[in-house]
Amino acid sequence: MRNVYLVTAFLVVLALSVLGLRGTLFTRPPLDVFPDWAFPSMRNQSKYKHQASSRFFADGRADRPLPPGVVATSYGPAGQPLRNDDVLYTGKDASGAFVARLPASVPVDRKLLERGQQSYTIYCAPCHGALGDGNGITKQYGMGATPTYHDDRLRRIADGDLYNTITHGKNNMLSYADKLKPEERWAVIAYVRALQRAQAGTVADVPEVNKAELGIK
Ligand code: HEC
């Protein structure tokens, strides 16, 4: 009978020690049962953490200043390219004003418009509608505040201003910066311009050969 209690207690301790700590995060390194004294193991090497202090350096900082003349070529652990093209990444020129047109580094061609159409259809059309008239599916569910792109203010608005709206959102509209990369935002803008152009056509835009079939003289 005594063994039943012992075995039960052993099983409880076993279950807890095997399953109980799974997924727990520890900040301190695990206990080394056989520490590797001769060759200190990789996980126990001495190091400084970010912004730590140090008595070794005269200024007391562990972070060292960059040597003079250093030129950055990338940033982040993944070595992303530097964001040193203000127009491309902010939609603003050196004076801080919105640029009127897409940056020179984003040439407008058919491919860009097709990318823009794809992103627009995924991210913007649910509210702004496939035609950009503000009649997306969300209107049927009571979200009536989405504006049409086909008014004079938005026809004349600077491309940089549209970039700013996609990047930071505006009033009720959220930012799409986490869904669209800068180049994709410009592609969407080019497509929004195409939508505006498509809705602002006049008789003069109809080619001569098609005028008759539309009954235009
Ligand atoms: C969830 C619905 C929703 C989605 C999705 C959405 N918008 Fe909007 N958008 C709005 C609303 C609402 C406004 C009006 C904001 C306001 O009150 O000024 C607006 C305004 C705008 C304006 C006018 C800004 C101005 O200067 O007045 C532009 C341009 C615009 N959106 C572009 C886009 C683009 C491009 C996308 C896709 C990347 C997008 N929107 C996605 C709801 C949406």
Side-chain angles (χ1 to χ4, degrees):
M1 194 58 198
R2 215 172 131 237
N3 280 350
V4 175
Y5 291 123
L6 276 179
V7 169
T8 311
F10 173 74
L11 285 179
V12 166
V13 169
L14 186 76
L16 277 181
S17 55
V18 171
L19 303 172
L21 299 174
R22 290 202 331 165
T24 314
L25 288 177
F26 299 93
T27 50
R28 272 189 272 168
L31 197 76
D32 269 338
V33 181
F34 300 106
D36 208 349
W37 295 119
F39 305 97
S41 65
M42 296 276 280
R43 66 178 176 219
N44 285 335
Q45 59 191 312
S46 47
K47 62 174 179 286
Y48 283 123
K49 294 196 170 157
H50 300 296
Q51 317 232 333
S53 61
S54 161
R55 278 181 301 161
F56 181 80
F57 296 106
D59 62 2
R61 297 184 295 167
D63 292 342
R64 305 316 302 148
L66 296 175
V70 162
V71 177
T73 57
S74 63
Y75 78 95
Q80 282 131 313
L82 270 195
R83 297 197 154 196
N84 55 357
D85 181 344
D86 279 352
V87 177
L88 179 67
Y89 292 109
T90 67
K92 295 176 187 167
D93 62 20
S95 70
F98 289 126
V99 291
R101 291 282 162 261
L102 266 66
S105 49
V106 184
V108 180
D109 52 15
R110 195 183 173 92
K111 218 172 118 218
L112 187 85
L113 283 171
E114 279 168 0
R115 277 176 70 193
Q117 180 180 37
Q118 192 181 38
S119 301
Y120 179 88
T121 310
I122 295 169
Y123 294 116
C124 319
C127 292
H128 287 277
L131 301 177
D133 54 5
N135 286 323
I137 184 75
T138 52
K139 190 150 274 184
Q140 292 174 29
Y141 292 90
M143 190 171 166
T146 315
T148 170
Y149 297 143
H150 311 299
D151 71 13
D152 274 345
R153 186 182 68 85
L154 286 177
R155 279 189 203 115
R156 278 196 298 265
I157 200 169
D159 284 355
D161 206 340
L162 296 179
Y163 182 87
N164 196 65
T165 297
I166 302 177
T167 307
H168 301 293
K170 188 160 206 170
N171 301 328
N172 277 344
M173 188 185 131
L174 291 181
S175 157
Y176 281 80
D178 58 335
K179 310 209 168 50
L180 298 167
K181 292 190 203 121
E183 289 80 2
E184 290 166 338
R185 293 173 220 164
W186 290 112
V188 167
I189 291 166
Y191 186 69
V192 166
R193 292 307 194 197
L195 288 177
Q196 289 180 322
R197 183 76 183 81
Q199 295 294 308
T202 63
V203 174
D205 294 319
V206 182
E208 278 311 316
V209 286
N210 301 112
K211 280 194 171 158
E213 74 188 74
L214 289 174
I216 305 166
K217 293 200 188 74

